[in-house]
Amino acid sequence: MTDTDVRLQPKKKGLTRRQKRRLSRGAQYVVFVAAVVAFAVTADWGRLQNQFAQAGIARQMFPDVITLALRNTVLYTLSGFVVGLVLGMVIALMRLSSVGPYRWLAGIYIEIFRGLPALLIFIFVGVAVPLAFPGTEIPGGTYGQVAIALGLVSAAYMAETIRAGIQAVPKGQTEAARSLGFSPAKAMISVIVPQAFRIILPPLTNELVLLFKDSSLVLFLGVTLEQRELSKFGRDLASTTANSTPILVAGLCYLLITIPLSYVVRRMESKAQEAIR
């Protein structure tokens, strides 16, 4: 065969980029369907239903799981969020301060409380504080302890979020406020902070979702029957009934709050992106 004949032969074409993407996507669907089918075939659904889906046990949880456990969980979360937001705002302003000791103190706080597990913070508030200050009681009892513990945990994260939001506001806003005769403090409170909160609202709402789940650590503070939140309520009934259905119901109650909040976060993030465009 001559060189001319070789050149005249049609060249073999490989898969195009679009065909490769379709092939890859199809393979992923096949793997997903195979995994679902394998799980459905191999799982012992009878045992799962018997252990996690007893309708009679689930009915026994109502209405206390809503009027008591879910209510306490919401109260713990909101109180911790308020404390964390106020403390986080103060720490964020200290972080941005021109006074060196303020910046150092805020930085140390953020590094320590972001690095420690939330469980240790709860133990510290419930055990170390009474030992350090004998005879001193935190206002609100267990509710006050939970608010402080959750607030200390969330404030470190909120402080960095608020600081980033303040720094994201264009400097021209500060200059415009100062040109109108605003003092630095008044310009920060009246002009910069409101604009920063519009920027950081999605991550703050996401922090609320995380706090809602962290509220389950309240059981390490020692709560009464009337102070139980969802996790403690579910665990107690699971021990009493020797069945895991109460834990599943408690988990579903968590989802009643976290899924709508997560949807709100996604909506706010999409609106923020549309505003930037």
Side-chain angles (χ1 to χ4, degrees):
M1 184 180 292
T2 63
D3 294 341
T4 303
D5 294 334
V6 173
R7 286 194 297 269
L8 291 177
Q9 285 184 348
K11 295 182 179 179
K12 296 181 179 180
K13 294 184 179 180
L15 295 176
T16 64
R17 185 175 300 177
R18 179 177 297 179
Q19 289 173 332
K20 290 180 180 179
R21 286 200 300 266
R22 289 179 178 176
L23 184 61
S24 175
R25 190 180 301 113
Q28 293 177 37
Y29 276 114
V30 170
V31 172
F32 174 76
V33 172
V36 172
V37 171
F39 175 75
V41 172
T42 58
D44 191 338
W45 295 103
R47 294 182 65 183
L48 285 175
Q49 181 180 2
N50 182 62
Q51 185 64 25
F52 288 96
Q54 289 294 323
I57 296 176
R59 284 194 294 268
Q60 294 176 13
M61 300 178 65
F62 291 90
D64 288 347
V65 68
I66 300 296
T67 59
L68 176 67
L70 183 59
R71 182 201 65 188
N72 284 335
T73 299
V74 172
L75 287 176
Y76 292 147
T77 303
L78 292 180
S79 60
F81 183 79
V82 171
V83 173
L85 184 61
V86 173
L87 184 58
M89 185 69 195
V90 173
I91 296 172
L93 295 177
M94 291 174 62
R95 187 78 162 157
L96 296 171
S97 174
S98 58
V99 181
Y102 286 170
R103 294 197 307 273
W104 305 332
L105 183 61
I108 292 172
Y109 177 91
I110 290 171
E111 293 302 324
I112 290 177
F113 283 90
R114 283 200 308 181
L116 289 175
L119 172 59
L120 295 183
I121 306 302
F122 272 81
I123 295 175
F124 173 79
V125 172
V127 177
V129 172
L131 290 176
F133 304 97
T136 302
E137 294 185 0
I138 297 177
T142 301
Y143 292 97
Q145 290 179 337
V146 175
I148 292 176
L150 288 177
L152 290 174
V153 172
S154 62
Y157 296 93
M158 290 188 189
E160 287 294 89
T161 301
I162 295 171
R163 179 185 63 82
I166 291 175
Q167 292 179 327
V169 177
K171 294 183 179 180
Q173 297 293 320
T174 303
E175 295 172 355
R178 295 299 303 277
S179 66
L180 293 175
F182 284 59
S183 64
K186 188 175 181 181
M188 177 64 71
I189 295 173
S190 302
V191 179
I192 306 303
V193 171
Q195 295 186 59
F197 267 86
R198 281 195 289 269
I199 298 172
I200 64 176
L201 195 56
L204 285 182
T205 307
N206 194 45
E207 182 64 27
L208 181 61
V209 175
L210 296 177
L211 278 182
F212 190 77
K213 293 182 290 185
D214 285 342
S215 64
S216 61
L217 296 173
V218 68
L219 63 92
F220 291 97
L221 294 177
V223 295
T224 65
L225 293 177
E226 296 299 320
Q227 295 171 336
R228 291 178 298 174
E229 41 69 53
L230 283 172
S231 293
K232 177 66 173 173
F233 186 85
R235 288 183 61 184
D236 288 349
L237 284 181
S239 298
T240 303
T241 59
N243 191 276
S244 299
T245 300
I247 295 178
L248 177 62
V249 175
L252 293 176
C253 289
Y254 276 107
L255 294 179
L256 288 176
I257 303 296
T258 57
I259 289 179
L261 283 177
S262 299
Y263 174 76
V264 171
V265 172
R266 290 194 297 270
R267 291 290 299 172
M268 289 190 296
E269 288 176 346
S270 62
K271 288 185 178 180
Q273 292 176 356
E274 291 176 359
I276 293 175
R277 294 172 187 171

